[in-house]
Amino acid sequence: MRKIDALIPERGRPDRAALGAHDPDALARYVLDTGNAWWRRHICAQTLAGRVPPARIPGLADRIRDRREPAEVRIALLEALADRSELLPWLRAHDPEQDGDHGMPEAVLTARGRLGDPTAARPLATLADSYLERWRKAGEAGLDGLVEHHGVEAVLAALGEERPEDRRFALRLRHRAGQDVTAYLADPDRGVAHLAQSLAGDPDRLLAFLDGTPPLEAAVRAACALHRLTGDRARTRRIDERLGSPRTEVAGLDEEVRRALVHAYAPSCERRSDPRWRLEALVTEPPGRPDPAARLARATEALASAGLDPGPAVPVGDPDEYGEQDEYDDQDDGVAHRITCPGLDVVFVSGLGRFVTGRGDDRHPARRPLEEAGFRWIDGPTGRVEVTGLYLLSASGSRGPRPLATLLF
């Protein structure tokens, strides 16, 4: 046992190569001994995949069933015993409400799929539709296990196509088989249509699709997919013009602000976004952005010339001198800077253009000197405009359209 401890030191990385060559019976006995550190037992359990001694299977299966066991150890053992059909009755009876910590429900679902449990198909499809890559891969692994046991058509028949997540899985299977997936560009669910856009790989099929009469959003997605494959911006612009240059209209959003947002966010917006934002980014020129350091220096100089005694510019997201963060925290770091003037509310300087704002009343003392220096003040009503159809992942993990002020600052 001391040798295993030495291979998994408290500090530094475990020697996985040596553990992979270690006696599997000794590793299994180490895992079964709950007196050993759980994190070492977890690593040992991971190294048992594909080489579990038959005599140790019942005891290790008991460790999986024991809710007092750390979830990490149980999940690793589920991987190691992935082919043990005797676990299936317990897996089917598993109650995620009673045993739902640290990924156990997801691991149980994946194991059911790998063991061929057809009743796991629909929840696995839901898991495979997750925004989180970890769960998406777990769901897909379970569905792939079902396909191995029952075949593609049987699994697709069990799922049907009523739910978006079921169509997403069908799309993935058809793409894997080399079949045409362009029809899915017109799926009513934007998540499914976005996946089709990312998987479409034949320019000729996309051109033929565009020559038909697809719905507008599907045509926009085909244009974006074609651009991804060919990089032909001139053709993308011609297609955009032929489609009537479709745009997501947002009341109160003028051209200057719109261009800044389009080129900052549309290329990486979430899968449920309106695809017209992405096409607009492909066919329009990005706004010229002066050096960020020069912009901040100009703002600081304007404030200083007005006698407002500005402090240093600090990136939004960094806590202030009181350990508090500002109202625009729910945004990626580096989008804007804040400048504090003694006795005044904070001034925010956007990293996306010449946009500035301040908390509180729009008669902020900093407004006039900044406007005279060429900046554009974003007032309260303008800042509250919701930019519809542009779904973004926030720092807190939420998704959806957000107000203009949050996007700029």
Side-chain angles (χ1 to χ4, degrees):
M1 293 303 180
R2 280 197 212 109
K3 185 173 183 181
I4 292 177
D5 287 350
L7 295 175
I8 313 174
E10 288 191 29
R11 298 178 184 276
R13 297 180 179 180
D15 189 341
R16 292 189 179 271
L19 288 167
H22 202 73
D23 176 21
D25 192 70
L27 291 170
R29 285 186 284 112
Y30 193 97
V31 174
L32 289 168
D33 184 352
T34 57
N36 292 318
W38 73 265
W39 50 274
R40 283 193 170 114
R41 296 170 59 233
H42 170 228
I43 294 171
C44 289
Q46 289 178 319
T47 65
L48 282 172
R51 58 193 194 111
V52 178
R56 303 298 176 189
I57 290 173
L60 295 173
D62 286 342
R63 294 294 88 222
I64 294 173
R65 299 184 188 101
D66 190 345
R67 291 208 304 262
R68 295 169 298 180
E69 187 74 76
E72 292 85 351
V73 176
R74 300 168 73 196
I75 291 170
L77 288 174
L78 271 176
E79 290 279 341
L81 300 178
D83 60 342
R84 306 306 304 184
S85 59
E86 61 265 35
L87 284 173
L88 197 49
W90 179 83
L91 293 170
R92 282 177 172 161
H94 179 262
D95 184 356
E97 296 294 327
Q98 297 293 321
D99 186 21
D101 291 336
H102 300 101
M104 271 303 292
E106 294 81 7
V108 167
L109 262 181
T110 303
R112 286 170 60 190
R114 285 173 169 165
L115 289 171
D117 177 10
T119 65
R122 287 174 70 84
L124 278 170
T126 300
L127 185 62
D129 196 42
S130 172
Y131 274 103
L132 296 176
E133 184 179 12
R134 175 187 178 189
W135 300 142
R136 186 167 64 250
K137 288 184 175 180
E140 290 174 352
L143 288 167
D144 289 344
L146 288 177
V147 169
E148 289 179 13
H149 280 271
H150 304 290
V152 170
E153 296 307 320
V155 176
L156 291 178
L159 289 173
E161 290 200 345
E162 180 181 350
R163 303 183 308 163
E165 54 263 49
D166 302 331
R167 299 195 299 276
R168 182 186 187 279
F169 178 61
L171 163 60
R172 191 170 70 88
L173 284 182
R174 289 191 168 89
H175 174 261
R176 183 190 296 174
Q179 298 177 15
D180 184 9
V181 297
T182 51
Y184 284 93
L185 293 168
D187 194 279
D189 180 82
R190 280 180 171 167
V192 176
H194 181 270
L195 179 62
Q197 176 183 326
S198 69
L199 294 179
D202 188 328
D204 291 334
R205 285 174 173 172
L206 289 167
L207 287 168
F209 183 80
L210 283 164
D211 286 339
T213 56
L216 178 60
E217 277 203 21
V220 168
R221 290 191 183 279
C224 293
L226 189 62
H227 185 92
R228 171 177 55 81
L229 293 171
T230 67
D232 189 340
R233 193 176 187 194
R235 180 164 58 183
T236 304
R237 283 177 165 164
R238 290 195 299 272
I239 294 171
D240 176 69
E241 291 171 0
R242 193 177 81 197
L243 296 175
S245 296
R247 302 290 182 263
T248 307
E249 297 303 328
V250 180
L253 200 65
D254 62 54
E255 187 60 27
E256 181 185 22
V257 176
R258 185 182 185 95
R259 275 212 305 161
L261 298 183
V262 163
H263 290 277
Y265 295 112
S268 59
C269 58
E270 285 291 307
R271 65 191 189 190
R272 301 195 187 277
S273 296
D274 188 325
R276 290 175 290 184
W277 285 111
R278 174 60 174 154
L279 181 59
E280 185 176 349
L282 293 175
V283 300
T284 59
E285 293 296 331
R289 292 183 187 169
D291 177 57
R295 182 192 296 120
L296 290 172
R298 184 159 53 93
T300 302
E301 182 180 350
L303 295 171
S305 297
L308 298 179
D309 191 21
V314 179
V316 165
D318 287 1
D320 61 20
E321 64 267 33
Y322 303 106
E324 297 181 354
Q325 291 181 311
D326 52 65
E327 62 186 295
Y328 301 117
D329 274 352
D330 207 22
Q331 184 56 283
D332 296 329
D333 291 342
V335 170
H337 284 72
R338 66 170 183 265
I339 301 174
T340 302
C341 301
L344 298 177
D345 277 328
V346 176
V347 173
F348 295 94
V349 182
S350 178
L352 305 186
R354 63 185 188 102
F355 313 110
V356 292
T357 195
R359 283 194 294 238
D361 197 310
D362 286 326
R363 293 172 294 182
H364 196 293
R367 178 171 184 170
R368 182 173 178 179
L370 287 169
E371 287 180 333
E372 290 177 347
F375 287 92
R376 178 176 169 185
W377 189 269
I378 301 298
D379 60 24
T382 303
R384 288 190 290 273
V385 169
E386 185 177 87
V387 184
T388 55
L390 191 61
Y391 285 70
L392 301 165
L393 175 63
S394 72
S396 64
S398 64
R399 292 170 171 83
R402 278 176 277 169
L404 174 60
T406 301
L407 297 174
L408 289 178
F409 304 107

